[in-house]
């Protein structure tokens, strides 16, 4: 009897630890600087009383301006727009209105799984450190959970039943947020296997430009060659690897369907006027100060996600505060 009671108690405690009721909606990154363009990812940890989540809505806080949601396969996106409470300066231009809320619907997240919903925006108007709440509502058919509770000063947010995910906004040092740089201090390089990828950037495009370019440096620190075979990005459905070179008196650009070899112990640079990533059939222009998510697929090392900083149309490389980082 004593052994049975211990087993029952252990099972009960294990069930409590595994219960989704103890997991809160969360936001990454934890902090960002005023003046920065930041991509926030809000994780939905479970369903509603066992039912799968089919709708997620986020109320965007004041000061998170020029916001754009990331496209999510299998979900439709609805953006609620309106006037901000204040006027903001973004890239030297006044901004008085934009997205106030975003809602994704039509998908399904099982109760025993989680997913993330991403919005990119610019942090403006914060002259002191601020905890910025993003109120989230998840719906599961007729049921719903609202993550909207705000911790009082000195109160532990984890003690709340349904705390709103928050972003800690810090004040930026002089020049820290130039060109809308990403707020996090990202590493200068991304590694996968024996490969190191660094210096990733793109150039801003005109509103009706159909194509854009991606540039980066790949160093093979291993003893055998690898090959960049393909790339993919949500900014367009078609991403190709191209090369520009002189053929006689003409400069021609050709697709490299077999990719680019990365010889052992060598560095290959994809740069304007030579090897490069080509974004085809752009649906929207590439805007200076934003980031482009990019997946690189290598023959041996596998796949790795990086981001390219979008620089000026004449940029020859990434700005110092536009480091590339992996996802």
């Amino acid at each position: 009897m004593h052994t049975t009671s211990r087993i029952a108690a252990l099972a009960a405690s294990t069930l409590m630890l595994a219960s989704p009721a103890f997991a809160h909606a969360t936001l990454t990154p934890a902090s960002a600087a005023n003046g920065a363009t930041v991509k926030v990812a809000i994780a939905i940890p479970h369903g509603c009383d066992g039912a799968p989540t089919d709708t997620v809505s986020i109320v965007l806080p004041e000061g998170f301006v020029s916001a754009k949601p990331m496209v999510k396969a299998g979900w439709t996106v609805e953006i609620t727009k309106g006037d901000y409470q204040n006027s903001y300066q973004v890239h030297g231009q006044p901004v008085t209105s934009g997205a106030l809320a975003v809602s994704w619907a039509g998908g399904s997240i099982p109760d025993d799984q989680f997913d993330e919903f991403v919005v990119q925006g610019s942090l403006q108007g914060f002259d002191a450190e601020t905890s910025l709440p993003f109120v989230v509502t998840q719906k599961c058919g007729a049921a719903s959970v609202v993550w909207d509770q705000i911790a009082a000063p000195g109160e532990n947010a984890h003690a709340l039943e349904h705390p709103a995910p928050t972003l800690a906004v810090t004040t930026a040092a002089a020049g820290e947020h130039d060109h809308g740089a990403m707020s996090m201090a990202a590493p200068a390089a991304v590694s996968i296997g024996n490969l190191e990828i660094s210096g990733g950037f793109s150039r801003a495009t005109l509103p009706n430009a159909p194509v854009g370019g991606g540039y980066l440096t790949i160093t093979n620190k291993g003893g055998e060659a690898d090959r960049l075979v393909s790339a993919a990005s949500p900014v367009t459905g078609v991403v190709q690897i191209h090369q520009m070179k002189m053929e006689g008196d003409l400069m021609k650009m050709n697709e490299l369907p077999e990719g680019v070899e990365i010889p052992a112990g060598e560095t290959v640079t994809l740069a304007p006027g030579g090897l490069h990533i080509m974004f085809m059939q752009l649906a929207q222009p590439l805007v200076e100060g934003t980031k482009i998510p990019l997946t690189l697929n290598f023959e041996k090392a596998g796949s790795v996600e990086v981001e390219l900083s979008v620089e000026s149309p004449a940029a020859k490389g990434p700005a110092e505060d536009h480091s590339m980082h992996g996802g």
Side-chain angles (χ1 to χ4, degrees), residues 49-75:
D49 296 326
T53 300
D54 55 44
T55 303
V56 173
S57 300
I58 302 173
V59 177
L60 304 176
E62 181 73 16
F64 188 75
V65 305
S66 302
K68 293 182 179 181
M70 180 177 285
V71 174
K72 193 170 184 64
W75 298 73

Side-chain angles (χ1 to χ4, degrees), residues 159-171:
L160 301 175
E161 184 177 5
H162 296 120
T166 58
L167 175 68
V169 182
T170 61
T171 55

Side-chain angles (χ1 to χ4, degrees), residues 13-308:
S13 64
T14 302
L15 189 60
M16 289 178 65
L17 290 172
S19 172
F22 291 88
H24 296 156
T26 56
L27 181 151
T28 53
S31 64
N34 177 54
T37 296
V38 62
K39 183 173 68 176
V40 299
I42 294 177
I44 301 300
H46 53 72
C48 318
D49 296 326
T53 300
D54 55 44
T55 303
V56 173
S57 300
I58 302 173
V59 177
L60 304 176
E62 181 73 16
F64 188 75
V65 305
S66 302
K68 293 182 179 181
M70 180 177 285
V71 174
K72 193 170 184 64
W75 298 73
T76 58
V77 183
E78 181 177 344
I79 304 173
T80 302
K81 297 184 178 181
D83 293 333
Y84 299 137
Q85 296 176 22
N86 301 301
S87 176
Y88 303 95
Q89 289 285 325
V90 180
H91 303 308
Q93 299 295 322
V95 177
T96 59
S97 63
L100 303 181
V102 180
S103 181
W104 291 263
S108 179
I109 310 172
D111 182 54
D112 60 350
Q113 300 177 31
F114 85 99
D115 206 345
E116 291 185 326
F117 296 80
V118 178
V119 184
Q120 179 176 278
S122 178
L123 296 170
Q124 299 292 332
F126 299 96
D127 55 8
E129 294 189 359
T130 304
S131 180
L132 201 61
F134 288 70
V135 174
V136 179
T137 301
Q138 65 175 114
K139 295 182 179 180
C140 315
S144 65
V145 177
V146 182
W147 305 93
D148 63 349
Q149 295 176 316
I150 310 298
E155 183 180 15
N156 186 352
H158 294 289
L160 301 175
E161 184 177 5
H162 296 120
T166 58
L167 175 68
V169 182
T170 61
T171 55
E176 182 179 337
H177 51 75
D178 289 347
H179 309 295
M182 291 297 288
S183 59
M184 295 178 291
V190 177
S191 295
I192 179 171
N194 293 318
L195 304 179
E196 182 180 87
I197 304 102
S198 62
F201 76 101
S202 183
R203 289 171 164 175
T205 61
L206 296 174
N208 296 320
V211 299
Y215 315 103
L216 45 84
T217 297
I218 306 170
T219 299
N220 187 345
K221 299 182 178 180
E224 66 176 336
D226 205 332
R227 180 176 291 274
L228 175 62
V229 293
S230 64
S233 175
V235 302
T236 178
V238 181
V239 181
Q240 298 176 353
I241 302 172
H242 282 211
Q243 181 179 36
M244 294 186 69
K245 63 179 182 179
M246 292 297 298
E247 294 185 4
D249 296 329
L250 298 176
M251 175 69 78
K252 291 189 176 182
M253 181 169 64
N254 301 306
E255 181 186 1
L256 302 178
E258 297 183 358
V260 177
E261 183 181 21
I262 316 297
E266 295 189 18
T267 295
V268 174
T269 299
L270 281 66
L275 293 168
H276 60 277
I277 303 292
M278 181 65 76
F279 302 110
M280 313 289 289
Q281 303 170 12
L282 289 173
Q284 296 181 340
L286 304 181
V287 179
E288 183 178 354
T290 62
K291 296 281 184 174
I292 299 174
L294 180 66
T295 300
L296 302 175
N297 302 309
F298 294 95
E299 188 174 65
K300 296 174 182 176
S303 299
V304 63
E305 293 186 8
V306 300
E307 288 183 336
L308 310 183

